[in-house]
Amino acid sequence: MAFGFCIGVALLLSLWSRAETAGIPDGVLRMECHDRYFMIAVDPSFTGDEPHFEAVDETGAYAITRQYAAQCGYSINVHPLPGHVELRASYFSCQTLNKDDEMFTFNFNLNVTQEGKEVTYPLNKTCSPSLPWSPREVTCETNYMEVSVRSVVTCPSGTKKDDWNSLKPAHRSTTSDWQVMFQTDDVQFPPMNISDARKQGYVFLLTEGRLVFRAPYGQPDSFSTEVNGVPVEAVHATIFSRQSWVVLMVDLVAACSMDEGLYHESGYMMWETPEMLYPNLDGQQVNVGLKGELVAQPVAEERGYIVGKQNNTIHICIPENAEGRYRKFYVYHLYLEQILVDEDRVETRIRFLRTLATPLLPSPIFAENQTVLEENMFTVYLGDVPEDVQLAAVHLNGQEFTVPLNASSFIITKVVHPNNTHGYKLKVPFEDPVVLQQFSKTDAVLHYAVLHYILNINYTLTVLPEKDLYYHMESVVALVTDVSPPQFDAVCTESGISFKLDHRPFDYLWEITIDSDLLTSELADQHGYIMSNDSNSLLLEVPLFSHGYEYKNISLKGFFGTFEIIMRDLETSEVQGSTIKTCLFSTTELIMCSTDGRMTVVADLALTIPNGGNPARTNLRDKYCGPKETDGSRALFSFSLNSCGSAIKLNSENVIYQNEIFYSKKFLRPGKVVSDNATERVTMQCTYPLSGLHRLFSVYRFESDAAGIGSLLHTTCSRSAESHNPAHFSSYNHACYNHACYNHACYNHACCHKTSYSIIQACPPPSCSLCQSD
């Protein structure tokens, strides 16, 4: 049966191709076109607690009250979570401009009170449904039922007795005007004309291609029942017109599940609807989702939903952590679609929009210690924080810090997750003053210890919108189990050894010494070390021949110098570790006075032997004490202090051992020509303080607490000079080796024109003050 008629007035409004939101700040308004409705969401911080919407068409603006919304296809809902006021409008709502059922233009006014004045903001948007219209569609909104059918349909196959019974009232009607007749399972009400039905809150609308019927819930002509134990509200309207002996009739039925949902302790929100709300229709497909987004049943099940059928009832189970749900009691804006077909394969779509809420439920928050020791800081993650809960402050070992943090050495970062939860990542350096430290020794032999970094955290969280406070406490401990004494990195240089120590937070547990002396800036200045120390590292440059060196394998090619830095227990001064570095050095001259009473000398004899002479022909005061090694101009001597004719001088503070290098012309080969042009004598001496030689006169063995101070003396002499006891000599300290004023450089210095010179111990920058008359 085909039918066609026109109800209502065409609305001639200009069309908007885009949304109009003039004057509204960014971020407080959202407008979206969905498959069967238009949605506006506004932040209450902008609208206030009682925003007012008006629907606008060419006849005026109409306040959307509770009654008007249910009658005209609007639904207004206030959602404390996530915090917005939501207006949904059916594509067939009263003031919507409809163009060929393909383009729908919405015009609203948003009225808010700001600074005591009422301000109106126009909101306009045009939507085009992305989904084609089915022959029949039913929408079960929160406050009304709506059914629309295609205005051109074919007569269904088969005719039943009930169909003829419904024709009797229409046939007995004496008018040709369109009328509507309501009926329940047991009662068939008398017909009334369309205008009277409108007065009772029903809406009938004929568009370009569809017939629309809308009824608020709770109408006198609707009825409530239970189907398979599920509460259902239905309205059955039949519109007809009698034209002579022909009756035009359209059956409009809307039936909606009124189930409010039930939360199950297994973590699911359950909702039910009878499968066969509409007789003679078979279920084909179920689509489900939240917040207006539908997905097919297989996709929903992949996301944790359970969609099943039992006893002719569809069961929808929404997982507690479903994307799109809100809390503090969980709130789910369910969107469900059933697709049914009749025996002629004519499709019916039924949509449910329901807000389901659980009772108050616990929302466990967890804290995870993500600390990596190598980063030298605590990393603690607070997770599963609901979106309506914010971090207000943290107490760290009793000290309060509000969020957001002001300048501090630690940071808090918010981490947002797609399941409507978020977390907070807290990073606190181990060395931050707020962190507690506890130290305990575990191995007295290997000198290992355990350092405990302790951080007690009390999170203060605010639950919105009530701003209730919630506290979560967590204690984390970082154990540094390989707490061992500091170890320097050491590098050999041409002039000495360079040490570097990268500071660790627990290095303060040890003291650093050279021998038994604490390494300080004063000690470094005293011994000629170059030291710099900051918050990151300690740098120490130790020049060759400085105090603290030991020397081995001395030859004309070079020698090994070793320097040791010692780590001692801060409390007991017990040695617990050291850094020892040995380097190969080379030098033109040197003198070393060992603690066991041995003098080792490398002397440059270029001006001591005549031209053509051989350094191997040199000897000490004892002519049988010759060099151990020679080259073209140098000789190496190593002998006991009390041998080789050494002279001993004693004063109130020191004992001095002195010897001299001579060149002998004996045993020259016949015809060997040697030019006697030698101009220098070389005298060497070792000086030891008496305070370090306690056993010198009680035991026939030399023992010194420290190495002696060695001196090499190059004195200018005439060719006829035969004296073995030079009138002058100079003292040479190890620290002055390679100094600009040392040896010939000083002797030839413009300010030094004395026959002999002495080099002072400290070796400051080169200047004439270094060269002094003896």
Side-chain angles (χ1 to χ4, degrees), residues 1-7 173 175-181 191-197 206 211 238-243 247-250:
M1 177 186 298
F3 61 93
F5 56 92
C6 182
I7 299 176
S173 175
T175 177
S176 61
D177 294 337
W178 284 100
Q179 299 183 71
V180 59
M181 180 176 59
M192 68 177 75
N193 58 42
I194 295 296
S195 59
D196 291 338
L206 184 64
L211 175 62
T238 302
I239 62 171
F240 62 89
S241 175
R242 181 175 179 274
Q243 303 292 335
V247 176
L248 301 178
M249 175 178 283
V250 180

PDB file of all heavy atoms in Angstrom, residues 1-7 173 175-181 191-197 206 211 238-243 247-250:
ATOM      1  N   MET A   1       0.856  -1.182   0.000  1.00  0.00           N
ATOM      2  CA  MET A   1       0.000   0.000   0.000  1.00  0.00           C
ATOM      3  C   MET A   1       0.894   1.234   0.000  1.00  0.00           C
ATOM      4  O   MET A   1       1.784   1.368   0.810  1.00  0.00           O
ATOM      5  CB  MET A   1      -0.898   0.006   1.239  1.00  0.00           C
ATOM      6  CG  MET A   1      -1.771   1.258   1.359  1.00  0.00           C
ATOM      7  SD  MET A   1      -2.676   1.269   2.923  1.00  0.00           S
ATOM      8  CE  MET A   1      -3.654  -0.227   2.714  1.00  0.00           C
ATOM      9  N   ALA A   2       0.613   2.144  -0.902  1.00  0.00           N
ATOM     10  CA  ALA A   2       1.375   3.384  -0.959  1.00  0.00           C
ATOM     11  C   ALA A   2       0.531   4.521  -0.443  1.00  0.00           C
ATOM     12  O   ALA A   2      -0.682   4.519  -0.579  1.00  0.00           O
ATOM     13  CB  ALA A   2       1.810   3.672  -2.389  1.00  0.00           C
ATOM     14  N   PHE A   3       1.171   5.479   0.197  1.00  0.00           N
ATOM     15  CA  PHE A   3       0.411   6.622   0.667  1.00  0.00           C
ATOM     16  C   PHE A   3       1.308   7.844   0.615  1.00  0.00           C
ATOM     17  O   PHE A   3       2.525   7.763   0.578  1.00  0.00           O
ATOM     18  CB  PHE A   3      -0.116   6.411   2.096  1.00  0.00           C
ATOM     19  CG  PHE A   3       0.990   6.225   3.107  1.00  0.00           C
ATOM     20  CD1 PHE A   3       1.493   7.292   3.808  1.00  0.00           C
ATOM     21  CD2 PHE A   3       1.529   4.957   3.335  1.00  0.00           C
ATOM     22  CE1 PHE A   3       2.491   7.117   4.728  1.00  0.00           C
ATOM     23  CE2 PHE A   3       2.537   4.788   4.249  1.00  0.00           C
ATOM     24  CZ  PHE A   3       3.024   5.867   4.961  1.00  0.00           C
ATOM     25  N   GLY A   4       0.667   8.992   0.619  1.00  0.00           N
ATOM     26  CA  GLY A   4       1.428  10.229   0.614  1.00  0.00           C
ATOM     27  C   GLY A   4       0.561  11.371   1.060  1.00  0.00           C
ATOM     28  O   GLY A   4      -0.585  11.493   0.640  1.00  0.00           O
ATOM     29  N   PHE A   5       1.044  12.187   1.978  1.00  0.00           N
ATOM     30  CA  PHE A   5       0.313  13.355   2.414  1.00  0.00           C
ATOM     31  C   PHE A   5       1.313  14.326   3.024  1.00  0.00           C
ATOM     32  O   PHE A   5       2.476  14.015   3.218  1.00  0.00           O
ATOM     33  CB  PHE A   5      -0.789  13.006   3.429  1.00  0.00           C
ATOM     34  CG  PHE A   5      -0.286  12.279   4.640  1.00  0.00           C
ATOM     35  CD1 PHE A   5       0.082  12.980   5.783  1.00  0.00           C
ATOM     36  CD2 PHE A   5      -0.167  10.890   4.630  1.00  0.00           C
ATOM     37  CE1 PHE A   5       0.537  12.307   6.882  1.00  0.00           C
ATOM     38  CE2 PHE A   5       0.297  10.232   5.745  1.00  0.00           C
ATOM     39  CZ  PHE A   5       0.644  10.925   6.884  1.00  0.00           C
ATOM     40  N   CYS A   6       0.899  15.549   3.342  1.00  0.00           N
ATOM     41  CA  CYS A   6       1.783  16.584   3.869  1.00  0.00           C
ATOM     42  C   CYS A   6       1.218  17.111   5.158  1.00  0.00           C
ATOM     43  O   CYS A   6       0.042  17.482   5.213  1.00  0.00           O
ATOM     44  CB  CYS A   6       1.927  17.716   2.843  1.00  0.00           C
ATOM     45  SG  CYS A   6       3.034  19.035   3.366  1.00  0.00           S
ATOM     46  N   ILE A   7       2.004  17.085   6.210  1.00  0.00           N
ATOM     47  CA  ILE A   7       1.617  17.639   7.492  1.00  0.00           C
ATOM     48  C   ILE A   7       2.636  18.704   7.871  1.00  0.00           C
ATOM     49  O   ILE A   7       3.829  18.481   7.800  1.00  0.00           O
ATOM     50  CB  ILE A   7       1.579  16.545   8.572  1.00  0.00           C
ATOM     51  CG1 ILE A   7       0.553  15.478   8.190  1.00  0.00           C
ATOM     52  CG2 ILE A   7       1.242  17.151   9.932  1.00  0.00           C
ATOM     53  CD1 ILE A   7       0.525  14.334   9.146  1.00  0.00           C
ATOM     54  N   SER A 173     -15.281   5.389  10.571  1.00  0.00           N
ATOM     55  CA  SER A 173     -15.078   6.838  10.655  1.00  0.00           C
ATOM     56  C   SER A 173     -15.836   7.520   9.532  1.00  0.00           C
ATOM     57  O   SER A 173     -15.903   7.028   8.397  1.00  0.00           O
ATOM     58  CB  SER A 173     -13.589   7.182  10.555  1.00  0.00           C
ATOM     59  OG  SER A 173     -13.410   8.572  10.511  1.00  0.00           O
ATOM     60  N   THR A 175     -15.175  10.731   8.611  1.00  0.00           N
ATOM     61  CA  THR A 175     -14.396  11.864   8.093  1.00  0.00           C
ATOM     62  C   THR A 175     -13.233  11.352   7.274  1.00  0.00           C
ATOM     63  O   THR A 175     -12.743  10.242   7.460  1.00  0.00           O
ATOM     64  CB  THR A 175     -13.869  12.737   9.240  1.00  0.00           C
ATOM     65  OG1 THR A 175     -13.068  13.786   8.700  1.00  0.00           O
ATOM     66  CG2 THR A 175     -13.003  11.935  10.213  1.00  0.00           C
ATOM     67  N   SER A 176     -12.815  12.218   6.330  1.00  0.00           N
ATOM     68  CA  SER A 176     -11.657  11.867   5.503  1.00  0.00           C
ATOM     69  C   SER A 176     -10.372  12.466   6.031  1.00  0.00           C
ATOM     70  O   SER A 176      -9.314  12.252   5.471  1.00  0.00           O
ATOM     71  CB  SER A 176     -11.880  12.345   4.059  1.00  0.00           C
ATOM     72  OG  SER A 176     -12.028  13.763   4.027  1.00  0.00           O
ATOM     73  N   ASP A 177     -10.437  13.286   7.142  1.00  0.00           N
ATOM     74  CA  ASP A 177      -9.215  13.849   7.731  1.00  0.00           C
ATOM     75  C   ASP A 177      -8.369  12.727   8.318  1.00  0.00           C
ATOM     76  O   ASP A 177      -8.876  11.679   8.742  1.00  0.00           O
ATOM     77  CB  ASP A 177      -9.562  14.851   8.836  1.00  0.00           C
ATOM     78  CG  ASP A 177     -10.267  16.083   8.272  1.00  0.00           C
ATOM     79  OD1 ASP A 177     -10.079  16.352   7.062  1.00  0.00           O
ATOM     80  OD2 ASP A 177     -10.985  16.733   9.039  1.00  0.00           O
ATOM     81  N   TRP A 178      -7.072  13.011   8.358  1.00  0.00           N
ATOM     82  CA  TRP A 178      -6.159  12.030   8.963  1.00  0.00           C
ATOM     83  C   TRP A 178      -6.409  11.946  10.456  1.00  0.00           C
ATOM     84  O   TRP A 178      -6.571  12.946  11.148  1.00  0.00           O
ATOM     85  CB  TRP A 178      -4.700  12.424   8.705  1.00  0.00           C
ATOM     86  CG  TRP A 178      -4.281  12.135   7.296  1.00  0.00           C
ATOM     87  CD1 TRP A 178      -4.190  13.010   6.275  1.00  0.00           C
ATOM     88  CD2 TRP A 178      -3.922  10.856   6.794  1.00  0.00           C
ATOM     89  NE1 TRP A 178      -3.786  12.400   5.132  1.00  0.00           N
ATOM     90  CE2 TRP A 178      -3.599  11.041   5.417  1.00  0.00           C
ATOM     91  CE3 TRP A 178      -3.837   9.555   7.324  1.00  0.00           C
ATOM     92  CZ2 TRP A 178      -3.212   9.992   4.589  1.00  0.00           C
ATOM     93  CZ3 TRP A 178      -3.436   8.531   6.498  1.00  0.00           C
ATOM     94  CH2 TRP A 178      -3.117   8.749   5.152  1.00  0.00           C
ATOM     95  N   GLN A 179      -6.488  10.728  10.941  1.00  0.00           N
ATOM     96  CA  GLN A 179      -6.753  10.469  12.349  1.00  0.00           C
ATOM     97  C   GLN A 179      -5.724   9.471  12.881  1.00  0.00           C
ATOM     98  O   GLN A 179      -5.019   8.813  12.118  1.00  0.00           O
ATOM     99  CB  GLN A 179      -8.167   9.911  12.549  1.00  0.00           C
ATOM    100  CG  GLN A 179      -9.275  10.863  12.087  1.00  0.00           C
ATOM    101  CD  GLN A 179     -10.647  10.300  12.359  1.00  0.00           C
ATOM    102  OE1 GLN A 179     -11.063  10.232  13.521  1.00  0.00           O
ATOM    103  NE2 GLN A 179     -11.340   9.882  11.314  1.00  0.00           N
ATOM    104  N   VAL A 180      -5.659   9.414  14.215  1.00  0.00           N
ATOM    105  CA  VAL A 180      -4.742   8.488  14.857  1.00  0.00           C
ATOM    106  C   VAL A 180      -5.511   7.697  15.893  1.00  0.00           C
ATOM    107  O   VAL A 180      -6.409   8.223  16.560  1.00  0.00           O
ATOM    108  CB  VAL A 180      -3.553   9.233  15.518  1.00  0.00           C
ATOM    109  CG1 VAL A 180      -4.022  10.243  16.562  1.00  0.00           C
ATOM    110  CG2 VAL A 180      -2.571   8.233  16.161  1.00  0.00           C
ATOM    111  N   MET A 181      -5.139   6.448  15.984  1.00  0.00           N
ATOM    112  CA  MET A 181      -5.796   5.555  16.934  1.00  0.00           C
ATOM    113  C   MET A 181      -4.702   4.850  17.733  1.00  0.00           C
ATOM    114  O   MET A 181      -3.764   4.275  17.166  1.00  0.00           O
ATOM    115  CB  MET A 181      -6.650   4.537  16.175  1.00  0.00           C
ATOM    116  CG  MET A 181      -7.385   3.552  17.073  1.00  0.00           C
ATOM    117  SD  MET A 181      -8.453   2.473  16.083  1.00  0.00           S
ATOM    118  CE  MET A 181      -7.266   1.720  14.996  1.00  0.00           C
ATOM    119  N   PRO A 191     -10.539   6.677  17.835  1.00  0.00           N
ATOM    120  CA  PRO A 191      -9.685   7.539  17.007  1.00  0.00           C
ATOM    121  C   PRO A 191      -9.828   9.010  17.423  1.00  0.00           C
ATOM    122  O   PRO A 191     -10.836   9.430  17.966  1.00  0.00           O
ATOM    123  CB  PRO A 191     -10.211   7.322  15.600  1.00  0.00           C
ATOM    124  CG  PRO A 191     -10.985   6.044  15.656  1.00  0.00           C
ATOM    125  CD  PRO A 191     -11.565   5.956  17.034  1.00  0.00           C
ATOM    126  N   MET A 192      -8.761   9.786  17.168  1.00  0.00           N
ATOM    127  CA  MET A 192      -8.787  11.241  17.350  1.00  0.00           C
ATOM    128  C   MET A 192      -8.035  11.851  16.174  1.00  0.00           C
ATOM    129  O   MET A 192      -7.214  11.189  15.535  1.00  0.00           O
ATOM    130  CB  MET A 192      -8.129  11.627  18.671  1.00  0.00           C
ATOM    131  CG  MET A 192      -6.629  11.393  18.745  1.00  0.00           C
ATOM    132  SD  MET A 192      -5.870  11.940  20.294  1.00  0.00           S
ATOM    133  CE  MET A 192      -6.415  10.638  21.377  1.00  0.00           C
ATOM    134  N   ASN A 193      -8.371  13.114  15.853  1.00  0.00           N
ATOM    135  CA  ASN A 193      -7.662  13.715  14.723  1.00  0.00           C
ATOM    136  C   ASN A 193      -6.244  14.107  15.143  1.00  0.00           C
ATOM    137  O   ASN A 193      -5.912  14.201  16.326  1.00  0.00           O
ATOM    138  CB  ASN A 193      -8.435  14.913  14.155  1.00  0.00           C
ATOM    139  CG  ASN A 193      -8.678  15.995  15.196  1.00  0.00           C
ATOM    140  OD1 ASN A 193      -7.793  16.316  15.965  1.00  0.00           O
ATOM    141  ND2 ASN A 193      -9.889  16.563  15.212  1.00  0.00           N
ATOM    142  N   ILE A 194      -5.397  14.379  14.163  1.00  0.00           N
ATOM    143  CA  ILE A 194      -3.985  14.645  14.405  1.00  0.00           C
ATOM    144  C   ILE A 194      -3.798  15.869  15.293  1.00  0.00           C
ATOM    145  O   ILE A 194      -2.951  15.885  16.182  1.00  0.00           O
ATOM    146  CB  ILE A 194      -3.244  14.825  13.074  1.00  0.00           C
ATOM    147  CG1 ILE A 194      -3.257  13.514  12.268  1.00  0.00           C
ATOM    148  CG2 ILE A 194      -1.795  15.260  13.319  1.00  0.00           C
ATOM    149  CD1 ILE A 194      -2.533  12.378  12.907  1.00  0.00           C
ATOM    150  N   SER A 195      -4.613  16.913  15.091  1.00  0.00           N
ATOM    151  CA  SER A 195      -4.444  18.135  15.885  1.00  0.00           C
ATOM    152  C   SER A 195      -4.716  17.875  17.359  1.00  0.00           C
ATOM    153  O   SER A 195      -4.042  18.424  18.233  1.00  0.00           O
ATOM    154  CB  SER A 195      -5.362  19.231  15.343  1.00  0.00           C
ATOM    155  OG  SER A 195      -6.723  18.811  15.403  1.00  0.00           O
ATOM    156  N   ASP A 196      -5.709  17.016  17.664  1.00  0.00           N
ATOM    157  CA  ASP A 196      -5.956  16.688  19.065  1.00  0.00           C
ATOM    158  C   ASP A 196      -4.794  15.880  19.652  1.00  0.00           C
ATOM    159  O   ASP A 196      -4.434  16.054  20.822  1.00  0.00           O
ATOM    160  CB  ASP A 196      -7.258  15.889  19.196  1.00  0.00           C
ATOM    161  CG  ASP A 196      -8.483  16.745  18.897  1.00  0.00           C
ATOM    162  OD1 ASP A 196      -8.363  17.982  19.017  1.00  0.00           O
ATOM    163  OD2 ASP A 196      -9.532  16.178  18.523  1.00  0.00           O
ATOM    164  N   ALA A 197      -4.227  15.010  18.850  1.00  0.00           N
ATOM    165  CA  ALA A 197      -3.075  14.228  19.327  1.00  0.00           C
ATOM    166  C   ALA A 197      -1.883  15.132  19.620  1.00  0.00           C
ATOM    167  O   ALA A 197      -1.135  14.920  20.584  1.00  0.00           O
ATOM    168  CB  ALA A 197      -2.705  13.167  18.297  1.00  0.00           C
ATOM    169  N   LEU A 206       5.642  14.810   8.446  1.00  0.00           N
ATOM    170  CA  LEU A 206       5.882  14.216   7.137  1.00  0.00           C
ATOM    171  C   LEU A 206       6.984  15.003   6.452  1.00  0.00           C
ATOM    172  O   LEU A 206       6.864  16.211   6.226  1.00  0.00           O
ATOM    173  CB  LEU A 206       4.614  14.243   6.281  1.00  0.00           C
ATOM    174  CG  LEU A 206       4.740  13.546   4.908  1.00  0.00           C
ATOM    175  CD1 LEU A 206       5.005  12.054   5.081  1.00  0.00           C
ATOM    176  CD2 LEU A 206       3.499  13.777   4.073  1.00  0.00           C
ATOM    177  N   LEU A 211       7.778   9.468   7.283  1.00  0.00           N
ATOM    178  CA  LEU A 211       6.733   9.802   8.225  1.00  0.00           C
ATOM    179  C   LEU A 211       7.291   9.570   9.626  1.00  0.00           C
ATOM    180  O   LEU A 211       7.807   8.491   9.922  1.00  0.00           O
ATOM    181  CB  LEU A 211       5.505   8.923   8.005  1.00  0.00           C
ATOM    182  CG  LEU A 211       4.357   9.087   9.004  1.00  0.00           C
ATOM    183  CD1 LEU A 211       3.787  10.492   8.960  1.00  0.00           C
ATOM    184  CD2 LEU A 211       3.260   8.060   8.719  1.00  0.00           C
ATOM    185  N   THR A 238      -1.747   4.111  15.206  1.00  0.00           N
ATOM    186  CA  THR A 238      -2.085   3.834  13.808  1.00  0.00           C
ATOM    187  C   THR A 238      -2.743   5.093  13.239  1.00  0.00           C
ATOM    188  O   THR A 238      -3.731   5.591  13.793  1.00  0.00           O
ATOM    189  CB  THR A 238      -3.047   2.656  13.698  1.00  0.00           C
ATOM    190  OG1 THR A 238      -2.460   1.497  14.315  1.00  0.00           O
ATOM    191  CG2 THR A 238      -3.345   2.348  12.250  1.00  0.00           C
ATOM    192  N   ILE A 239      -2.176   5.628  12.170  1.00  0.00           N
ATOM    193  CA  ILE A 239      -2.805   6.789  11.530  1.00  0.00           C
ATOM    194  C   ILE A 239      -3.504   6.306  10.264  1.00  0.00           C
ATOM    195  O   ILE A 239      -3.025   5.381   9.577  1.00  0.00           O
ATOM    196  CB  ILE A 239      -1.786   7.894  11.221  1.00  0.00           C
ATOM    197  CG1 ILE A 239      -0.705   7.423  10.235  1.00  0.00           C
ATOM    198  CG2 ILE A 239      -1.126   8.403  12.507  1.00  0.00           C
ATOM    199  CD1 ILE A 239       0.189   8.545   9.754  1.00  0.00           C
ATOM    200  N   PHE A 240      -4.648   6.933   9.968  1.00  0.00           N
ATOM    201  CA  PHE A 240      -5.405   6.473   8.795  1.00  0.00           C
ATOM    202  C   PHE A 240      -6.235   7.633   8.248  1.00  0.00           C
ATOM    203  O   PHE A 240      -6.488   8.634   8.925  1.00  0.00           O
ATOM    204  CB  PHE A 240      -6.295   5.283   9.169  1.00  0.00           C
ATOM    205  CG  PHE A 240      -7.323   5.608  10.209  1.00  0.00           C
ATOM    206  CD1 PHE A 240      -8.587   6.085   9.842  1.00  0.00           C
ATOM    207  CD2 PHE A 240      -7.037   5.439  11.566  1.00  0.00           C
ATOM    208  CE1 PHE A 240      -9.539   6.373  10.804  1.00  0.00           C
ATOM    209  CE2 PHE A 240      -7.994   5.724  12.524  1.00  0.00           C
ATOM    210  CZ  PHE A 240      -9.248   6.191  12.150  1.00  0.00           C
ATOM    211  N   SER A 241      -6.685   7.433   7.031  1.00  0.00           N
ATOM    212  CA  SER A 241      -7.607   8.366   6.369  1.00  0.00           C
ATOM    213  C   SER A 241      -8.546   7.547   5.503  1.00  0.00           C
ATOM    214  O   SER A 241      -8.105   6.660   4.755  1.00  0.00           O
ATOM    215  CB  SER A 241      -6.829   9.386   5.517  1.00  0.00           C
ATOM    216  OG  SER A 241      -7.727  10.209   4.801  1.00  0.00           O
ATOM    217  N   ARG A 242      -9.850   7.833   5.616  1.00  0.00           N
ATOM    218  CA  ARG A 242     -10.872   7.091   4.837  1.00  0.00           C
ATOM    219  C   ARG A 242     -11.245   7.925   3.626  1.00  0.00           C
ATOM    220  O   ARG A 242     -11.713   9.056   3.733  1.00  0.00           O
ATOM    221  CB  ARG A 242     -12.091   6.832   5.714  1.00  0.00           C
ATOM    222  CG  ARG A 242     -13.214   6.053   5.007  1.00  0.00           C
ATOM    223  CD  ARG A 242     -14.316   5.750   6.006  1.00  0.00           C
ATOM    224  NE  ARG A 242     -15.400   5.032   5.373  1.00  0.00           N
ATOM    225  CZ  ARG A 242     -16.415   5.608   4.723  1.00  0.00           C
ATOM    226  NH1 ARG A 242     -16.475   6.930   4.639  1.00  0.00           N
ATOM    227  NH2 ARG A 242     -17.373   4.877   4.178  1.00  0.00           N
ATOM    228  N   GLN A 243     -10.984   7.392   2.470  1.00  0.00           N
ATOM    229  CA  GLN A 243     -11.352   8.032   1.216  1.00  0.00           C
ATOM    230  C   GLN A 243     -12.390   7.150   0.530  1.00  0.00           C
ATOM    231  O   GLN A 243     -12.057   6.168  -0.130  1.00  0.00           O
ATOM    232  CB  GLN A 243     -10.114   8.188   0.318  1.00  0.00           C
ATOM    233  CG  GLN A 243      -8.965   8.978   0.951  1.00  0.00           C
ATOM    234  CD  GLN A 243      -9.305  10.448   1.130  1.00  0.00           C
ATOM    235  OE1 GLN A 243     -10.169  10.978   0.402  1.00  0.00           O
ATOM    236  NE2 GLN A 243      -8.671  11.087   2.100  1.00  0.00           N
ATOM    237  N   VAL A 247      -9.414   2.874   2.620  1.00  0.00           N
ATOM    238  CA  VAL A 247      -8.791   3.328   3.859  1.00  0.00           C
ATOM    239  C   VAL A 247      -7.260   3.283   3.697  1.00  0.00           C
ATOM    240  O   VAL A 247      -6.711   2.239   3.351  1.00  0.00           O
ATOM    241  CB  VAL A 247      -9.214   2.470   5.068  1.00  0.00           C
ATOM    242  CG1 VAL A 247      -8.463   2.902   6.328  1.00  0.00           C
ATOM    243  CG2 VAL A 247     -10.711   2.570   5.281  1.00  0.00           C
ATOM    244  N   LEU A 248      -6.606   4.472   3.938  1.00  0.00           N
ATOM    245  CA  LEU A 248      -5.136   4.532   3.946  1.00  0.00           C
ATOM    246  C   LEU A 248      -4.676   4.454   5.396  1.00  0.00           C
ATOM    247  O   LEU A 248      -5.115   5.259   6.229  1.00  0.00           O
ATOM    248  CB  LEU A 248      -4.645   5.838   3.311  1.00  0.00           C
ATOM    249  CG  LEU A 248      -5.071   6.090   1.865  1.00  0.00           C
ATOM    250  CD1 LEU A 248      -4.558   7.445   1.392  1.00  0.00           C
ATOM    251  CD2 LEU A 248      -4.562   4.983   0.951  1.00  0.00           C
ATOM    252  N   MET A 249      -3.819   3.512   5.693  1.00  0.00           N
ATOM    253  CA  MET A 249      -3.474   3.254   7.100  1.00  0.00           C
ATOM    254  C   MET A 249      -1.963   2.989   7.226  1.00  0.00           C
ATOM    255  O   MET A 249      -1.384   2.285   6.399  1.00  0.00           O
ATOM    256  CB  MET A 249      -4.273   2.056   7.603  1.00  0.00           C
ATOM    257  CG  MET A 249      -3.920   1.601   9.010  1.00  0.00           C
ATOM    258  SD  MET A 249      -4.960   0.212   9.504  1.00  0.00           S
ATOM    259  CE  MET A 249      -6.454   1.081   9.882  1.00  0.00           C
ATOM    260  N   VAL A 250      -1.333   3.603   8.282  1.00  0.00           N
ATOM    261  CA  VAL A 250       0.081   3.354   8.587  1.00  0.00           C
ATOM    262  C   VAL A 250       0.179   2.991  10.059  1.00  0.00           C
ATOM    263  O   VAL A 250      -0.322   3.723  10.922  1.00  0.00           O
ATOM    264  CB  VAL A 250       0.955   4.588   8.290  1.00  0.00           C
ATOM    265  CG1 VAL A 250       2.416   4.290   8.632  1.00  0.00           C
ATOM    266  CG2 VAL A 250       0.834   4.992   6.830  1.00  0.00           C
TER     267      VAL A 250
END
